[in-house]
RNA sequence: GCAGCAGUAGCUCAGUUGGUUAGAGCACUAGUUUGUGGAACUAGGGGUCGGUGGUUCGAAUCCACCCUGCUGUACCA
């Protein structure tokens, strides 16, 4: 016989299957987050996975590489793309429905987004984002509200206040500083921002070389620099190292007057902190001069939630984790669709990253308990039952409905295996108990309950088969009517 | 995209200076145990040695090209 060539059960790179405990925890987090967003007065919105490419594509990082980074194709009429975030679709939605919406408009959205980029450890091409935004106000109160919402949500998800900080800055400050240093070329500005964004990873020296001539990485690959002169570089490095203490209560005055834009940023930050300082997250929401965020469309306040504990990968090594959430003000995004001013501010939580982090917090280990398994004794018994002097089929369904109406996860074994195979199955499903109801039980009107949980514990001490078989206290027989109560004791 | 490293069973890997029929552990199936999960023992299934071409009497092993993966870097709305 010629062998068929089998398909390989592979996934496209950057995509993963999820199962069991991980998914249960993910659903639980989503529930917590949704409830909290509603508590803060946000209303839900759902938009399609696909958008018309043009509507979400204008803010691609490189104009000369349109469509890179997204999954898209042309239908009969338009180029359409899977969304790469939830912000661009929000802008489109607000543009379409502006007149009907409350101003400000507060909405949250949970959804999958797709990015056609190189995947890495903990970085996928499909992931879940959770966003909350306030559209239609320039009031800094809204920025403060979403920052507080971010902090509050992380705590409700199970982080303690000492597990994270939310670093805050204002785009106007940094660009104001650059303006004062006579760096005005837009490309230089965005590249400078991106270089500063790498401070965490590359350190001051790395940022310096990226701002100057360029940098060689470990593999010998060379990255071209921004080409600033040494004086400008020195000033920038100084500024990004003033950091948290600079704004403990009120701003340090050392850069006052360097440019109008800078002063405006400081005013906004002062206003922002006046709000967060009286919230319960005064110590978590802190100023950080080196926070810039690589995203192009931010116009004012920016913030990022950073975890303060180490996250490990599957092999137990610490990994470079990045932020679990962030956001900021983007006053020009919505107005692409609309003549009116539609300033906006919001946050985004990377749910899958948060999930990985939460799984490493001890209090979050969910155990995926399987169903109580009712073992089936005779193959084809459902056909064979009539004519016997005992009835074996109907009681299975009776037992099943007793358990299920008591809210106990349960099932009749639906495979073809022997009793032994059924036990193995129940074991693998992490079932708390197996129920045996065969000829013996049927004649006496009883059921046998095998306590798989207790058996599992006992098995660690048992060395040989004889002891295992003798260990009968993991099994008991009860009257049919007592079944539910006995099972409940095991759960 | 650029650079470095790596690809042998479902998974993790061994395979000597090129030499018979390519191995181990885990996982899987069955039996020892005809109605009982673990452990142990026994047996079994499973491989185009990433692909193509070349060198050679002989290639998993050496060479060339290609593909894929990992790591770093760039990009990351």
């Amino acid at each position: 016989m010629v062998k068929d060539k089998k398909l390989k059960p592979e996934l496209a790179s950057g995509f993963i299957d999820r199962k069991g405990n991980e998914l249960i925890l993910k659903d639980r987090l989503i529930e917590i987050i949704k409830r909290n967003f509603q508590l803060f007065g946000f209303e839900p919105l759902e938009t399609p996975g696909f958008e018309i490419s043009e509507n979400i594509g204008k803010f691609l990082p490189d104009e000369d590489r349109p469509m890179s980074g997204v999954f898209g194709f042309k239908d009969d009429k338009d180029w359409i793309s899977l969304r790469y975030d939830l912000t661009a679709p929000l802008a489109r939605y607000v543009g379409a429905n502006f007149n009907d919406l409350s101003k400000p408009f507060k909405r949250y959205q949970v959804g999958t987004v797709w990015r056609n980029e190189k995947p890495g450890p903990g970085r996928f091409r499909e992931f879940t984002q959770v966003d909350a935004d306030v559209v239609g106000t320039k009031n800094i109160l809204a920025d403060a509200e979403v920052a507080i919402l971010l902090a509050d949500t992380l705590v409700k998800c199970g982080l303690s206040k000492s597990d994270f900080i939310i670093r805050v800055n204002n785009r106007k400050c940094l660009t104001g500083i650059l303006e004062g240093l006579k760096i005005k070329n837009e490309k230089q500005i965005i590249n400078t921002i991106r270089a500063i964004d790498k401070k965490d990873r590359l350190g001051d020296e790395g940022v310096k070389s990226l701002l100057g001539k360029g940098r060689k990485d470990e593999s010998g690959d060379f990255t071209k620099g921004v080409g600033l002169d040494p004086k400008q570089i020195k000033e920038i490095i100084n500024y990004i190292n003033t950091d948290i203490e600079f704004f403990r209560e009120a701003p340090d005055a050392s850069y006052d007057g360097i440019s109008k834009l800078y002063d405006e940023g400081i005013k906004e930050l002062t206003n922002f902190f006046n709000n967060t300082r009286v919230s319960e997250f005064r110590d978590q929401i802190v100023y950080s001069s080196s926070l810039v965020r690589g995203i192009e469309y931010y116009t004012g306040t920016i913030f990022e939630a950073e975890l303060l504990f180490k996250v490990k990968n599957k092999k137990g090594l610490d990994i470079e984790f990045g932020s679990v959430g962030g956001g900021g003000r983007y006053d020009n995004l919505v107005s692409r669709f609309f003549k009116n001013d539609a300033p906006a501010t919001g946050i985004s939580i990377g749910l899958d990253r948060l999930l990985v982090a939460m799984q490493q917090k001890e209090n979050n280990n969910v155990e995926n308990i399987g169903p109580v398994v009712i073992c089936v004794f005779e193959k084809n018994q459902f056909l064979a039952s009539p004519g016997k002097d005992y009835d074996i089929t109907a009681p299975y369904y009776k037992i099943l409905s007793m358990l299920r109406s008591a809210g106990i996860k349960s099932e009749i074994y639906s495979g073809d295996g022997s009793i032994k195979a059924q036990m193995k199955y129940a074991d693998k499903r992490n079932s708390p108990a197996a129920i045996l109801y065969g000829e013996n039980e049927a004649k006496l009107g009883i059921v046998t309950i095998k306590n798989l949980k207790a058996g599992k514990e006992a098995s660690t001490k048992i060395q040989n088969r004889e002891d295992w078989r003798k260990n009968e206290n993991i099994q008991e027989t009860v009257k049919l009517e007592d079944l539910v109560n006995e099972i409940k004791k095991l759960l």
Side-chain angles (χ1 to χ4, degrees):
Chain A
M1 201 182 89
V2 182
K3 269 190 198 168
D4 292 337
K5 193 165 188 179
K6 296 290 183 188
L7 296 171
K8 283 190 181 170
E10 292 175 318
L11 285 170
S13 107
F15 293 88
I16 55 163
D17 296 318
R18 296 176 186 280
K19 65 177 273 254
N21 293 1
E22 191 187 347
L23 262 191
I24 289 170
L25 183 57
K26 181 171 176 175
D27 287 345
R28 190 186 289 176
L29 289 177
I30 289 175
E31 272 318 300
I32 292 169
I33 292 169
K34 279 183 177 171
R35 206 177 312 138
N36 206 39
F37 284 8
Q38 284 169 21
L39 189 67
F40 274 66
F42 289 78
E43 63 171 89
L45 175 71
E46 192 174 288
T47 63
F50 273 102
E51 294 275 352
I52 291 173
S53 303
E54 203 187 5
N55 286 347
I56 57 170
K58 275 281 158 58
F59 280 78
L60 290 166
D62 283 322
E63 295 291 329
D64 43 310
R65 277 196 312 162
M67 296 303 296
S68 84
V70 301
F71 295 98
F73 60 85
K74 196 172 189 305
D75 69 8
D76 286 347
K77 189 162 145 269
D78 299 298
W79 276 94
I80 62 176
S81 301
L82 282 170
R83 64 188 176 207
Y84 51 78
D85 73 0
L86 300 175
T87 311
L90 170 67
R92 189 226 83 225
Y93 175 82
V94 171
N97 300 282
F98 191 84
N99 292 332
D100 301 328
L101 299 173
S102 62
K103 262 72 77 178
F105 172 58
K106 297 170 68 176
R107 78 85 241 232
Y108 73 85
Q109 182 164 6
V110 180
T112 308
V113 303
W114 296 265
R115 293 186 186 181
N116 190 4
E117 290 165 1
K118 186 193 156 185
R123 295 187 52 170
F124 304 104
R125 297 205 288 177
E126 177 184 68
F127 54 96
T128 307
Q129 274 196 340
V130 185
D131 278 34
D133 296 84
V134 182
V135 186
T137 177
K138 285 196 157 142
N139 195 332
I140 299 298
L141 179 63
D143 301 69
E145 186 189 23
V146 291
I148 291 167
L149 173 61
L150 177 57
D152 193 63
T153 303
L154 291 178
V155 168
K156 291 217 167 90
C157 283
L159 292 177
S160 59
K161 284 186 177 178
S162 57
D163 284 334
F164 68 94
I165 54 166
I166 294 177
R167 303 198 298 146
V168 180
N169 198 357
N170 192 301
R171 265 292 166 80
K172 290 173 184 171
C173 290
L174 183 77
T175 41
I177 294 271
L178 298 184
E179 209 170 87
L181 293 171
K182 307 275 181 285
I183 302 166
K184 286 182 179 162
N185 175 309
E186 256 182 56
K187 203 138 204 174
Q188 277 191 323
I189 290 174
I190 188 69
N191 285 335
T192 301
I193 285 173
R194 283 176 184 157
I196 296 171
D197 200 26
K198 295 178 178 66
K199 179 176 185 276
D200 283 349
R201 201 153 32 92
L202 307 179
D204 283 345
E205 286 312 307
V207 177
K208 261 186 210 169
S209 26
L210 281 174
L211 290 176
K213 283 174 182 154
R215 178 178 175 273
K216 223 183 220 177
D217 71 37
E218 287 165 41
S219 63
D221 191 30
F222 186 76
T223 309
K224 209 178 160 223
V226 184
L228 303 180
D229 68 52
K231 245 188 192 164
Q232 292 171 317
I233 294 171
K234 202 180 155 201
E235 281 298 325
I236 291 169
I237 297 289
N238 267 344
Y239 169 70
I240 63 174
N241 279 299
T242 56
D243 233 1
I244 294 167
E245 290 308 320
F246 182 88
F247 215 121
R248 181 57 85 185
E249 293 297 329
D252 185 321
S254 42
Y255 290 90
D256 281 5
I258 190 169
S259 69
K260 243 171 96 181
L261 197 59
Y262 175 83
D263 291 347
E264 204 180 314
I266 288 294
K267 222 164 96 191
E268 288 185 9
L269 277 174
T270 307
N271 193 348
F272 177 90
F273 283 113
N274 282 344
N275 282 290
T276 60
R277 225 192 309 271
V278 294
S279 80
E280 60 177 306
F281 299 106
R282 86 165 262 146
D283 297 327
Q284 282 72 46
I285 302 177
V286 298
Y287 172 75
S288 171
S289 63
S290 60
L291 176 72
V292 290
R293 286 179 75 79
I295 300 162
E296 204 171 341
Y297 61 52
Y298 288 124
T299 54
T301 314
I302 45 179
F303 36 79
E304 201 163 275
E306 189 186 316
L307 295 181
L308 299 177
F309 58 92
K310 292 275 183 197
V311 175
K312 293 180 181 352
N313 67 9
K314 278 177 194 157
K315 288 174 185 163
L317 300 168
D318 289 344
I319 53 172
E320 194 65 57
F321 198 66
S323 69
V324 291
R329 176 161 283 280
Y330 48 101
D331 284 345
N332 304 323
L333 193 53
V334 179
S335 54
R336 291 170 55 220
F337 298 97
F338 203 69
K339 282 179 201 161
N340 295 36
D341 235 11
T345 187
I347 53 163
S348 177
I349 297 175
L351 191 72
D352 300 286
R353 275 190 186 175
L354 180 62
L355 182 62
V356 171
M358 294 312 300
Q359 282 177 305
Q360 303 194 2
K361 302 282 296 176
E362 279 182 10
N363 53 349
N364 264 289
N365 289 327
V366 275
E367 208 188 342
N368 188 12
I369 306 282
V372 170
V373 174
I374 301 168
C375 296
V376 173
F377 276 80
E378 291 176 45
K379 242 182 172 178
N380 298 324
Q381 53 145 323
F382 296 102
L383 299 171
S385 207
K388 293 237 168 99
D389 59 349
Y390 54 89
D391 182 8
I392 205 167
T393 303
Y396 284 159
Y397 282 100
K398 190 178 169 192
I399 292 167
L400 189 65
S401 82
M402 281 166 72
L403 291 170
R404 284 185 181 166
S405 48
I408 298 165
K409 231 198 283 185
S410 49
E411 66 182 24
I412 297 174
Y413 176 75
S414 56
D416 302 314
S418 62
I419 290 296
K420 181 173 175 148
Q422 296 183 39
M423 287 292 163
K424 279 190 173 179
Y425 165 81
D427 190 45
K428 196 156 196 169
R429 292 292 307 273
N430 198 26
S431 299
I435 289 176
L436 297 167
Y437 185 88
E439 190 175 339
N440 301 343
E441 286 85 354
K443 283 178 175 164
L444 294 169
I446 56 170
V447 281
T448 301
I449 300 170
K450 178 139 189 164
N451 186 341
L452 296 172
K453 219 160 110 190
K456 193 173 269 179
E457 282 157 25
S459 74
T460 56
K461 294 170 199 149
I462 294 174
Q463 295 304 314
N464 60 55
R465 181 83 198 163
E466 296 310 306
D467 291 348
W468 176 254
R469 295 219 97 179
K470 273 184 233 158
N471 191 19
E472 285 301 324
N473 53 355
I474 56 172
Q475 193 166 315
E476 59 179 332
T477 55
V478 300
K479 282 184 197 158
L480 202 51
E481 57 265 33
D482 296 331
L483 176 67
V484 169
N485 284 334
E486 291 301 319
I487 294 282
K488 274 186 175 165
K489 285 182 199 165
L490 306 180
L491 297 178

